[in-house]
Amino acid sequence: MHFPWIQKQLATVVTGGKKEKDFTQTTSACLSFIQEALLKHQWQQAAEYMHSYLQILEDSDSSKKQAAPEIIWKLGSEILFYHPKSNVETFNTFADRMKNIGVLNYLKISLQHALYLLHHGMLEDANRNLSQAETWRYGEKSSSQEILINLVQAYKELLQYYTWSQKKMELSMLDEDDYAYSTKTRNMLSHSWKTSVHICALVKIPGVWDPFVKSYVEMLEFHGDQDGARKVLTNYAYDEKFPSNPNAHVYLYNFLKREKAPRAKLLSVLKILHELVPSHKLMLEFHKLLRKSEKEEHHKLGLVVLFRILDFAGCTKNITAWKYLAKYLRQILMENHLAWVQEEWNSRKNWWPIFHFSYFWAKSDWKEDRELACEKAFVAGILLGKGCRYFRYILKQDDQVLRKKIKQIKKSVKKYSVVSPGV
């Protein structure tokens, strides 16, 4: 396809209408047009500009010419992924051509091409693509090339893991006394052992390998190698060479939980997760474990955990968190731990009233979720006193179902309120 009007437009933009043909300026302007079209999701326009940008492959500057294939691949694949008239055949043709043009990027392109095929449910084609990439070599083997080859092999085995997991599901439907069950089990053990070899090598390289770690651990557990699975997950979570990764601690916690590990081990894992992601959904579970502990420091941390969850905008309507906080405030105040509450409240008293307990939120919460509004009203009354607008608004509401609860809130706030009437 040829679009002469593009060259005309580029010349106008770059040279102010003059016929000066500056190659560098033209390709630079074309790249800017492509980027702008991508940002605006103008896929057709981006595709048209892309045709002109291909002239960058003829640039006399060797460094630009060498970098061009990767840029063209990244932009082109993005355009073809979203273009309304694009299809798998078009994408395959483009990918194959780019592999030949950008030899140094062959492995990256092959891997991304395979992921595109996976997205379209073409598992066999993706596997074939990865098999070809697995045997590809160019020049001397560099360390970066070796990592990419490991990654290609690991993705190939991730596809085999998918097949294995389907067989595992079929196995779960069979009777354990059935002959077919023992035959399938033997096949699966053999299959999982072969599949795990390259994944095992990959997860030892520092990086974020979540899907590979999960599949590898599942296969190790299927083999009954609990110690091996625990070692992989522990290294993934605690090895300082690996980047900080909350999921690593989630996987380790879930494994230890399945093993029925002691509470102390579970707490140690969740404590690190709490430092990394205070709003994680497992923090409510962390709070419950802390509450069951016999240590006072854990009971205090249990309060900190709840406050920190509710510091985040995405958790403001988490009714479970508000229920836990309302119940826990009542409990720790009965146990004379007023200082704990004041310590947490002092750092929040200047922004929580507007963030959680404004008149606007009182009306909105009562309209959307009355149970949530009642839990929040109790917390607001405890922290801000009976003068709090949120508290006053909820207490004025006439709801037959919640009338008893509202009376209890009023009585409890009168007994446990830690702050004199405020806003």
Side-chain angles (χ1 to χ4, degrees):
M1 294 176 72
H2 181 58
F3 299 92
W5 62 271
I6 294 177
Q7 291 293 349
K8 209 174 200 178
Q9 186 172 341
L10 287 171
T12 304
V13 173
V14 175
T15 65
K18 295 176 184 178
K19 293 185 178 180
E20 180 187 338
K21 294 182 179 180
D22 189 303
F23 188 89
T24 304
Q25 287 181 315
T26 304
T27 52
S28 178
C30 192
L31 181 60
S32 296
F33 288 144
I34 294 169
Q35 290 170 332
E36 187 178 350
L38 288 174
L39 285 170
K40 293 178 180 177
H41 294 183
Q42 296 170 343
W43 312 115
Q44 177 61 32
Q45 201 167 356
E48 291 169 359
Y49 286 132
M50 197 68 198
H51 282 287
S52 286
Y53 185 69
L54 292 174
Q55 66 181 314
I56 190 72
L57 293 168
E58 299 169 16
D59 201 312
S60 57
D61 186 326
S62 59
S63 61
K64 287 184 179 179
K65 191 173 181 178
Q66 193 174 353
E70 186 173 3
I71 296 171
I72 291 169
W73 164 250
K74 285 181 176 178
L75 293 172
S77 58
E78 184 80 2
I79 293 165
L80 288 175
F81 188 84
Y82 291 104
H83 198 291
K85 292 183 180 178
S86 177
N87 54 41
V88 175
E89 188 180 346
T90 307
F91 194 97
N92 287 346
T93 303
F94 175 67
D96 289 339
R97 286 182 181 176
M98 290 310 302
K99 287 173 197 175
N100 293 324
I101 294 171
V103 188
L104 295 173
N105 298 302
Y106 185 93
L107 290 171
K108 283 183 185 177
I109 293 171
S110 295
L111 186 54
Q112 290 169 13
H113 186 195
L115 292 174
Y116 172 84
L117 293 168
L118 281 175
H119 177 76
H120 287 273
M122 302 171 71
L123 268 69
E124 288 184 14
D125 293 276
N127 192 50
R128 194 180 307 114
N129 193 288
L130 291 171
S131 295
Q132 290 171 358
E134 188 181 15
T135 56
W136 180 88
R137 297 292 181 275
Y138 179 77
E140 290 186 16
K141 195 176 184 182
S142 64
S143 57
S144 60
Q145 197 177 99
E146 190 173 355
I147 291 172
L148 278 170
I149 290 168
N150 282 337
L151 194 57
V152 165
Q153 290 170 335
Y155 264 106
K156 186 184 173 188
E157 293 188 357
L158 202 60
L159 289 180
Q160 292 173 357
Y161 159 77
Y162 177 74
T163 306
W164 177 85
S165 64
Q166 285 185 315
K167 288 179 180 177
K168 184 184 173 188
M169 195 178 292
E170 290 171 9
L171 189 67
S172 66
M173 296 176 184
L174 294 175
D175 189 337
E176 289 188 22
D177 297 326
D178 196 334
Y179 173 76
Y181 181 89
S182 58
T183 306
K184 276 185 176 287
T185 304
R186 283 196 300 273
N187 291 338
M188 283 188 67
L189 286 168
S190 172
H191 185 82
S192 61
W193 181 253
K194 291 174 186 174
T195 301
S196 63
V197 174
H198 288 298
I199 295 180
C200 174
L202 182 72
V203 298
K204 289 177 182 175
I205 302 167
V208 178
W209 309 116
D210 290 359
F212 303 101
V213 169
K214 282 181 74 178
S215 59
Y216 184 42
V217 166
E218 187 181 340
M219 287 186 283
L220 287 173
E221 286 189 87
F222 185 80
H223 275 270
D225 188 0
Q226 300 298 111
D227 291 339
R230 190 185 308 104
K231 185 178 178 182
V232 169
L233 290 171
T234 303
N235 288 342
Y236 193 51
Y238 296 123
D239 193 326
E240 292 180 358
K241 294 174 186 174
F242 283 75
S244 177
N245 179 7
N247 286 341
H249 301 280
V250 173
Y251 301 152
L252 179 58
Y253 171 76
N254 288 332
F255 173 80
L256 292 172
K257 192 177 172 184
R258 287 195 298 274
E259 274 203 317
K260 299 188 179 350
R263 189 189 303 148
K265 278 191 176 181
L266 299 176
L267 285 172
S268 66
V269 177
L270 289 180
K271 191 174 182 180
I272 296 173
L273 182 62
H274 174 246
E275 290 166 5
L276 295 172
V277 191
S279 60
H280 196 280
K281 62 182 179 181
L282 281 175
M283 290 304 100
L284 290 173
E285 206 163 312
F286 184 36
H287 165 78
K288 286 166 72 177
L289 286 171
L290 289 166
R291 218 168 55 200
K292 291 175 183 176
S293 172
E294 295 175 1
K295 295 181 180 179
E296 191 172 273
E297 62 184 273
H298 285 166
H299 296 167
K300 184 180 180 182
L301 181 57
L303 180 65
V304 175
V305 167
L306 292 176
F307 269 104
R308 291 192 72 184
I309 290 171
L310 293 167
D311 282 343
F312 289 83
C315 302
T316 54
K317 294 187 182 294
N318 187 328
I319 189 168
T320 307
W322 285 109
K323 277 183 176 180
Y324 283 5
L325 182 58
K327 183 180 179 181
Y328 204 51
L329 282 172
R330 188 185 289 113
Q331 179 187 325
I332 59 179
L333 288 172
M334 285 175 67
E335 294 170 358
N336 297 316
H337 292 302
L338 174 62
W340 295 0
V341 181
Q342 289 176 330
E343 187 179 336
E344 292 307 310
W345 181 239
N346 284 339
S347 61
R348 294 171 172 86
K349 62 185 178 184
N350 292 328
W351 62 280
W352 260 44
I354 295 171
F355 187 62
H356 286 305
F357 305 129
S358 67
Y359 181 73
F360 168 81
W361 283 122
K363 288 176 69 177
S364 174
D365 290 341
W366 184 257
K367 186 178 179 181
E368 292 178 17
D369 189 338
R370 295 186 176 187
E371 192 178 357
L372 170 68
C374 286
E375 299 297 341
K376 283 182 70 174
F378 175 81
V379 175
I382 293 291
L383 299 174
L384 289 161
K386 292 187 287 184
C388 172
R389 291 177 181 178
Y390 194 105
F391 177 78
R392 290 206 310 265
Y393 180 86
I394 301 303
L395 255 64
K396 286 178 183 177
Q397 305 310 308
D398 185 21
D399 185 289
Q400 289 184 347
V401 178
L402 295 173
R403 190 173 292 164
K404 187 178 178 182
K405 190 174 183 74
I406 291 172
K407 282 182 180 179
Q408 287 175 345
I409 291 170
K410 191 174 182 181
K411 186 179 178 181
S412 296
V413 167
K414 186 177 181 181
K415 186 176 181 181
Y416 298 116
S417 181
V418 298
V419 182
S420 56
V423 292

